[in-house]
Amino acid sequence: LQNNMWSSSSCKSESWLDIGTCDFWYNFLLDQKWSGPIYPNYTWSYHWTHVAGILWAEWWNNLWVVWVNPWVKIMWLKVWNSDILELSDIISAINFARYNWVKIINASFWWSNSISLENTINAFVSLWWIVVAAAWNDRRDVNSSNVNYPCGYSFNGVVCVASTDSNDDLASFSNYDPIYVDVAAPWT
């Protein structure tokens, strides 16, 4: 994935300020930017590499990884780990992505309904861009009284994804709902 990482010579911050060349990854948790091919001390999760590997693996990668589009660039924006998830970090990351013309976001998080998150997601998808959102894994129906966000937003461009198991059935731990969940995919 290293050769498919995003960079730009005219980058904008999450506040729409010109910040020049970006060849870094951004950690909104610690307000850290860094350059280089590898995130320093990256050990906490393999979820993003699994998702990115399926979608954006390099052409003829010799690893037998199937790709959807090997020419797409990946912008890696860290907003949470197992202990910390702040709404302000989520909004900053989405705005950073929007201001730098990212057209698809993988939103593997959930949040309760929030006007600021709703407005941020709406601003992103109003550009005809896509938010792929996790239905999450609580073994429950995420109906109108029990929905996770951003899956619960009914904007065109928000795609809510449940998890499937090795038999391509709904995974026993996956959330589900015929209205809010749009599609299911192999879990990570």
Side-chain angles (χ1 to χ4, degrees):
L1 299 177
Q2 178 176 318
N3 293 330
N4 287 16
M5 295 307 294
W6 171 86
S7 66
S8 174
S9 60
S10 57
C11 197
K12 299 280 189 188
S13 74
E14 66 275 12
S15 304
W16 190 248
L17 300 173
D18 288 318
I19 56 176
T21 299
C22 299
D23 62 349
F24 55 80
W25 304 1
Y26 198 102
N27 181 339
F28 284 92
L29 291 171
L30 303 174
D31 196 29
Q32 295 175 334
K33 298 175 183 153
W34 62 94
S35 296
I38 300 172
Y39 170 66
N41 302 318
Y42 180 75
T43 58
W44 59 271
S45 173
Y46 298 102
H47 176 79
W48 86 272
T49 53
H50 175 80
V51 172
I54 290 172
L55 298 176
W56 303 290
E58 290 179 317
W59 184 264
W60 298 113
N61 57 48
N62 294 321
L63 298 174
W64 296 98
V65 175
V66 178
W67 59 87
V68 174
N69 187 342
W71 297 280
V72 171
K73 296 295 183 185
I74 303 164
M75 177 189 286
W76 195 81
L77 305 172
K78 181 178 181 180
V79 297
W80 77 306
N81 63 29
S82 60
D83 299 323
I84 302 168
L85 178 62
E86 298 289 340
L87 182 59
S88 60
D89 294 332
I90 294 168
I91 290 170
S92 292
I94 294 169
N95 285 334
F96 185 89
R98 179 168 58 105
Y99 296 154
N100 289 286
W101 295 93
V102 170
K103 295 174 179 64
I104 300 173
I105 293 175
N106 172 37
S108 293
F109 66 86
W110 70 269
W111 200 263
S112 57
N113 194 12
S114 154
I115 294 299
S116 54
L117 180 61
E118 183 176 0
N119 291 341
T120 303
I121 296 287
N122 189 34
F124 187 87
V125 299
S126 69
L127 297 168
W128 295 97
W129 295 345
I130 298 170
V131 174
V132 180
W136 215 245
N137 300 321
D138 298 322
R139 297 183 198 165
R140 62 187 174 94
D141 185 349
V142 287
N143 57 39
S144 60
S145 63
N146 202 21
V147 69
N148 297 329
Y149 294 89
C151 275
Y153 298 130
S154 58
F155 307 129
N156 288 332
V158 174
V159 179
C160 184
V161 183
S163 299
T164 60
D165 62 19
S166 59
N167 296 318
D168 206 26
D169 294 323
L170 185 69
S172 61
F173 51 80
S174 182
N175 289 353
Y176 55 90
D177 187 81
I179 295 172
Y180 289 100
V181 176
D182 300 299
V183 66
W187 69 281
T188 60

